[in-house]
């Protein structure tokens, strides 16, 4: 079995390699330029020193009556302390100083001819000997060009330049090391927000956190805000699904109870009983479709339409009369036959059903339902003669799961559903004390769709 190692792709590695490559390239380029300029500057200094000594060299030649040497022989004895040689126009050697002979430096002119160009200073290498710097001085005598070559031992200069080069590259290494340290530190510091993001995403996955924090750098804020929006949408969707299922269970419970009551009702003949049970089944089917659609689209996504309220009130009164027939409730309904609310049928059934059922659950014997239009508003009011709602609970019972009375069965969903529905249609929902001395639930909606 062959083991294949595949390196992981890391942004940090790419950034470090790229940055270090740029710094190294610039650093070595700068170091090369510094060493080159230093060498040229050293050549210039030595050249300037020899130019300053030219009068001394010229005096030595005058003392020997050879100014300049044009036809001297290689064995001519001229007193000089310099390593020198003279060449004709074709760089053929004419003369060497005694010091050049003592150092066994031969073919100076010929060697120079191989490396010459327009510059003044060159390195001449002699096999088995030192390397020398050579400087050329040219002149015209009787129409002929002659060259004087002056040599200097370059070993000291080479050591000096090598020392300078080593020091330069040592300093460069220090700079690169410091740059690497700073790059790693900067990269670690720069990656801290991503590390924080990773940890927060892990907490989100584990359910320990609901959304991402807002203390991220500007470059990451758009990403974190988008993720938070996505998380909020997902949370809203989950909440919507859960609420829709709870609302569906709450609505179906009433219809099922009404169906059971109809089955046990001996006052109805079989045809009437069958008709009313089918009506309840149709309502349950409509509620199931409505709640599933609401779970998918949300309340604001449902189509707003005008729905007649009188048939819904009559149907609910009939159903609840059967369901609470032991209480013998007196339902009083005030509603024009042609009054329509700008609400979908499913929403209107939810509103009316929850309000009237809540009143039927807590009333003693009387429920009064009033639906009317006044001053551009549609008003639905349900009064009962029950114990009413305590002042401290009038706002709390609009929250899911909160109940003002624990003696009756329930989940604290109905009034919360009404409040959500009314808010989605830009309406108001109030709880007051009824003239019947019980609770008065008042809903007001705009007369037109918004």
């Amino acid at each position: 079995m062959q083991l294949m190692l595949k390196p992981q792709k890391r942004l940090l590695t790419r950034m470090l390699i790229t940055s270090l490559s740029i710094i190294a390239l610039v650093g070595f380029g700068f170091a090369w330029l510094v060493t080159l300029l230093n060498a040229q500057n050293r050549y210039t200094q030595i050249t300037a020193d020899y130019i300053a000594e030219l009068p001394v060299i010229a005096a030595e030649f005058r003392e020997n009556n050879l100014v300049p040497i044009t036809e001297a022989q290689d064995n001519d004895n001229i007193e000089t302390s310099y390593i020198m040689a003279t060449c004709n126009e074709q760089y053929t050697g004419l003369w060497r100083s005694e010091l050049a002979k003592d150092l066994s430096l031969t073919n100076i002119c010929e060697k120079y001819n191989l490396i010459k160009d327009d510059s003044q200073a060159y390195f001449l290498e002699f096999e088995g000997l030192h390397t020398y710097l050579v400087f050329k001085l040219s002149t015209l005598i009787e129409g002929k060009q002659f060259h004087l070559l002056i040599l200097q031992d370059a070993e000291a200069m080479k050591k000096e330049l090598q020392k300078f080069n080593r020091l330069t590259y040592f300093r460069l290494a220090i700079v690169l090391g410091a740059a690497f340290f700073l790059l790693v530190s900067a990269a670690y510091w720069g990656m801290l927000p991503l590390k924080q993001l990773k940890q927060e995403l892990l907490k989100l996955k584990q359910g320990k956190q609901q959304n991402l924090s807002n203390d991220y750098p500007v470059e990451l804020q758009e990403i974190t805000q988008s993720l938070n929006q996505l998380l909020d949408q997902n949370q809203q969707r989950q909440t919507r699904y859960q609420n829709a299922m709870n609302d569906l269970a709450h609505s179906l419970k009433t219809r099922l109870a009404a169906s059971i009551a109809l089955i046990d009702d001996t006052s109805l003949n079989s045809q009437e009983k069958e008709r009313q049970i089918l009506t309840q089944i149709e309502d349950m089917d409509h509620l199931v479709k409505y709640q599933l659609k609401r779970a998918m689209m949300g309340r604001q996504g449902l189509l707003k339409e005008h729905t007649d309220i009188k048939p819904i009130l009559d149907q609910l009164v009939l159903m609840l009369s059967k369901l609470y027939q032991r209480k013998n409730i007196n339902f009083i309904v005030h509603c024009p036959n042609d009054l329509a609310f700008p609400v979908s049928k499913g929403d209107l059934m939810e509103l009316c059903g929850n309000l009237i059922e809540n009143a039927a659950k807590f009333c003693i014997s009387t429920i009064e339902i009033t639906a009317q239009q006044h001053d551009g508003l549609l008003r639905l009011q349900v009064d009962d003669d029950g114990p009413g709602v305590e002042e401290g609970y009038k706002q709390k019972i609009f929250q899911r799961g909160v109940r003002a009375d624990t003696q009756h069965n329930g989940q604290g969903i109905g009034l919360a559903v009404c409040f959500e529905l009314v808010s989605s249609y830009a309406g108001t929902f109030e709880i007051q004390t009824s003239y019947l001395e019980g609770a008065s639930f008042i809903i007001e909606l705009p007369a037109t769709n918004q």
Side-chain angles (χ1 to χ4, degrees):
M1 179 178 177
Q2 186 177 5
L3 182 62
M4 299 294 290
L5 296 177
K6 184 178 181 180
Q8 294 181 346
K9 295 181 180 180
R10 295 183 180 272
L11 291 176
L12 183 60
T13 304
R14 296 178 181 180
M15 184 181 67
L16 287 176
I17 292 176
T18 304
S19 302
L20 282 176
S21 299
I22 294 173
I23 292 176
L25 180 63
V26 174
F28 279 105
F30 182 74
W32 174 78
L33 182 61
V34 168
T35 55
L36 181 62
L37 290 176
N38 177 69
Q40 291 179 349
N41 183 57
R42 193 71 184 92
Y43 297 155
T44 302
Q45 290 178 355
I46 296 175
T47 303
D49 293 340
Y50 272 105
I51 291 174
E53 294 181 7
L54 282 178
V56 178
I57 298 173
E60 291 180 348
F61 278 83
R62 282 195 299 269
E63 290 177 0
N64 291 277
N65 295 318
L66 292 169
V67 183
I69 299 175
T70 58
E71 297 179 358
Q73 300 298 320
D74 193 44
N75 57 3
D76 288 341
N77 186 16
I78 299 176
E79 296 292 336
T80 178
S81 58
Y82 296 94
I83 306 173
M84 296 187 300
T86 58
C87 316
N88 59 17
E89 189 174 1
Q90 289 76 31
Y91 288 95
T92 301
L94 301 176
W95 169 84
R96 291 182 302 164
S97 66
E98 290 297 324
L99 190 54
K101 297 175 183 178
D102 293 340
L103 294 173
S104 301
L105 303 180
T106 59
N107 301 322
I108 297 175
C109 295
E110 289 76 4
K111 289 181 179 295
Y112 181 82
N113 187 37
L114 297 175
I115 63 170
K116 67 178 179 64
D117 55 23
D118 295 333
S119 302
Q120 293 292 324
Y122 296 94
F123 282 109
L124 281 182
E125 295 184 357
F126 296 88
E127 296 182 3
L129 301 174
H130 290 177
T131 301
Y132 292 87
L133 278 170
V134 57
F135 302 91
K136 180 184 71 172
L137 298 173
S138 302
T139 185
L140 285 173
I141 302 295
E142 297 177 356
K144 295 181 180 180
Q145 189 175 33
F146 296 90
H147 308 287
L148 176 62
L149 302 180
I150 305 171
L151 283 70
Q152 182 187 14
D153 193 339
E155 290 299 320
M157 179 182 174
K158 288 179 64 176
K159 291 180 180 179
E160 179 184 343
L161 293 177
Q162 289 173 357
K163 180 180 179 181
F164 179 84
N165 293 348
R166 285 195 300 270
L167 183 60
T168 299
Y169 286 106
F170 175 73
R171 291 171 178 169
L172 175 61
I174 294 177
V175 171
L176 288 178
F180 178 75
F181 174 77
L182 292 176
L183 275 175
V184 172
S185 302
Y188 178 77
W189 185 39
M191 290 294 178
L192 281 180
L194 293 178
K195 185 177 181 181
Q196 178 186 352
L197 180 60
K198 176 184 176 182
Q199 293 174 347
E200 290 196 353
L201 290 174
L202 182 60
K203 290 181 180 179
L204 286 172
K205 182 179 178 181
Q206 296 173 346
K208 298 179 180 179
Q209 193 168 318
Q210 297 300 321
N211 50 29
L212 300 173
S213 58
N214 296 320
D215 58 343
Y216 282 94
V218 176
E219 294 80 3
L220 292 178
Q221 285 182 2
E222 291 188 4
I223 297 177
T224 56
Q225 289 173 0
S226 298
L227 287 174
N228 278 334
Q229 291 176 0
L230 183 62
L231 291 170
D232 290 340
Q233 291 175 2
N234 184 61
Q235 182 64 33
Q236 292 173 6
R237 188 181 298 109
Q238 289 182 350
T239 302
R240 189 166 67 242
Y241 287 159
Q242 182 178 357
N243 291 342
M245 294 303 102
N246 291 336
D247 297 346
L248 178 60
H250 180 267
S251 301
L252 291 178
K253 179 187 69 174
T254 303
R255 269 67 182 179
L256 288 172
S259 299
I260 294 172
L262 286 171
I263 293 174
D264 296 335
D265 190 354
T266 58
S267 64
L268 298 175
N269 57 43
S270 59
Q271 292 182 350
E272 182 65 19
K273 185 181 297 186
E274 181 180 353
R275 185 185 66 81
Q276 293 190 21
I277 291 176
L278 286 176
T279 300
Q280 296 300 322
I281 293 175
E282 289 176 358
D283 287 346
M284 285 188 282
D285 180 67
H286 178 80
L287 284 171
V288 170
K289 293 178 180 179
Y290 164 75
Q291 294 291 1
L292 290 177
K293 185 177 180 182
R294 196 190 75 184
M296 293 296 295
M297 302 176 62
R299 294 194 188 278
Q300 296 297 336
L302 299 179
L303 178 64
K304 296 180 181 179
E305 55 189 15
H306 285 79
T307 306
D308 292 334
I309 190 172
K310 186 66 165 59
I312 293 177
L313 293 178
D314 292 341
Q315 181 181 347
L316 288 171
V317 167
L318 179 61
M319 179 187 71
L320 292 173
S321 297
K322 299 296 182 181
L323 188 60
Y324 292 94
Q325 58 183 343
R326 292 182 180 181
K327 298 180 72 172
N328 194 23
I329 301 173
N330 178 27
F331 288 94
I332 305 173
V333 180
H334 304 287
C335 178
N337 291 329
D338 59 349
L339 183 62
F341 274 53
V343 180
S344 65
K345 182 179 179 180
D347 285 344
L348 193 57
M349 289 179 63
E350 283 286 317
L351 276 174
C352 297
N354 285 321
L355 289 179
I356 299 173
E357 183 186 3
N358 186 76
K361 187 183 298 183
F362 293 102
C363 74
I364 296 174
S365 62
T366 304
I367 296 176
E368 184 173 355
I369 306 168
T370 304
Q372 61 183 346
Q373 182 173 355
H374 180 69
D375 294 334
L377 294 175
L378 291 167
R379 183 184 180 98
L380 174 64
Q381 181 172 341
V382 179
D383 296 271
D384 65 70
D385 59 352
V389 180
E390 295 182 8
E391 191 66 30
Y393 280 95
K394 286 184 177 180
Q395 295 299 323
K396 292 181 180 179
I397 59 176
F398 291 148
Q399 302 174 12
R400 286 180 175 267
V402 176
R403 298 170 55 211
D405 183 84
T406 58
Q407 296 180 355
H408 296 80
N409 294 329
Q411 293 81 32
I413 294 177
L415 294 179
V417 171
C418 292
F419 182 77
E420 292 173 3
L421 283 170
V422 172
S423 299
S424 70
Y425 286 95
T428 59
F429 188 8
E430 294 181 323
I431 301 176
Q432 298 180 1
T433 300
S434 172
Y435 77 96
L436 297 176
E437 298 184 357
S440 177
F441 296 90
I442 303 172
I443 290 175
E444 290 185 339
L445 298 173
T448 56
N449 282 329
Q450 295 184 355

